[in-house]
Amino acid sequence: MARSQDTPAIRVRDLVVAFGDHIVLGHLSLDVRKGEILGFVGGSGSGKSVLLRTIIGLLPKQQGSIEVLGVDLDEADDAPLHALERRWGVLFQQGALFSSLTALQNVQFPMRENLGLSERLLRDAALTKLEMVGLDARDGDKLPSELSGGMTKRVALARALALDPTDSASLALRSE
């Protein structure tokens, strides 16, 4: 489906997400347009992270529809879904780094899974991403347990940017 300028980058309609009998999101609808920045504000347990996790497919929905960049997530086959997922970067609230991998390896992970780069290019690209967020090569050798809280968030941001989700139609989803 071709996207026009008026088509929302994210379109959510009548979304219902529940845990058992507890409805967290009840018939939520929203549009996020290309270039628009939308923040979700609310108390703990109000559904901010649940919404974002449902949009990216980490949580199931009970009802409703979600389209991202013109792709209906319920109707798309695996190949279009995988291509779409490569276009967004996700920054989890607590970083969600792999504890057994160094900072550099955490940043390399999505590149290794999706891009087929040589080891040299993987290292160079991951170091560039770490530098973009204010870290250096020495920090790349550290395990997550050796990083400060701020450094953990920066490594997680570098990983979210690893696949270059920077074209005009890409998404950056963040929840706090």
Side-chain angles (χ1 to χ4, degrees):
M1 172 182 184
R3 288 187 69 237
S4 75
Q5 289 294 87
D6 296 331
T7 303
I10 302 173
R11 181 183 184 100
V12 176
R13 291 291 175 268
D14 199 31
L15 183 65
V16 176
V17 179
F19 299 105
D21 292 335
H22 177 69
I23 296 175
V24 178
L25 300 173
H27 304 281
L28 175 97
S29 294
L30 69 90
D31 289 340
V32 180
R33 305 240 175 253
K34 178 180 165 184
E36 182 178 25
I37 297 172
L38 178 65
F40 301 104
V41 179
S44 179
S46 62
K48 303 176 301 290
S49 293
V50 169
L51 172 61
L52 295 178
R53 288 174 187 263
T54 304
I55 290 171
I56 65 172
L58 294 178
L59 289 176
K61 60 185 174 56
Q62 282 66 40
Q63 182 179 320
S65 64
I66 301 170
E67 291 180 17
V68 178
L69 302 175
V71 176
D72 183 324
L73 301 186
D74 289 329
E75 302 295 324
D77 293 328
D78 287 344
L81 276 177
H82 184 68
L84 178 65
E85 290 166 352
R86 286 189 52 200
R87 295 182 67 189
W88 63 42
V90 180
L91 177 59
F92 293 97
Q93 188 169 344
Q94 300 299 322
L97 299 179
F98 296 109
S99 60
S100 63
L101 300 180
T102 66
L104 188 71
Q105 291 167 332
N106 267 280
V107 176
Q108 289 174 332
F109 187 84
M111 292 185 276
R112 190 178 303 282
E113 291 292 311
N114 292 288
L115 301 181
L117 300 175
S118 70
E119 287 299 318
R120 179 174 180 221
L121 282 175
L122 277 171
R123 180 170 177 75
D124 290 349
L127 285 172
T128 298
K129 299 302 179 189
L130 287 173
E131 289 172 4
M132 286 174 58
V133 299
L135 298 173
D136 62 35
R138 289 174 302 190
D139 298 320
D141 294 330
K142 296 178 181 175
L143 291 169
S145 61
E146 301 170 313
L147 300 172
S148 69
M151 291 171 79
T152 297
K153 288 182 184 287
R154 285 187 261 163
V155 172
L157 176 59
R159 184 180 61 194
L161 297 172
L163 296 179
D164 290 321
T166 57
D167 71 53
S168 62
S170 294
L171 307 172
L173 303 175
R174 182 170 178 249
S175 168
E176 284 204 20

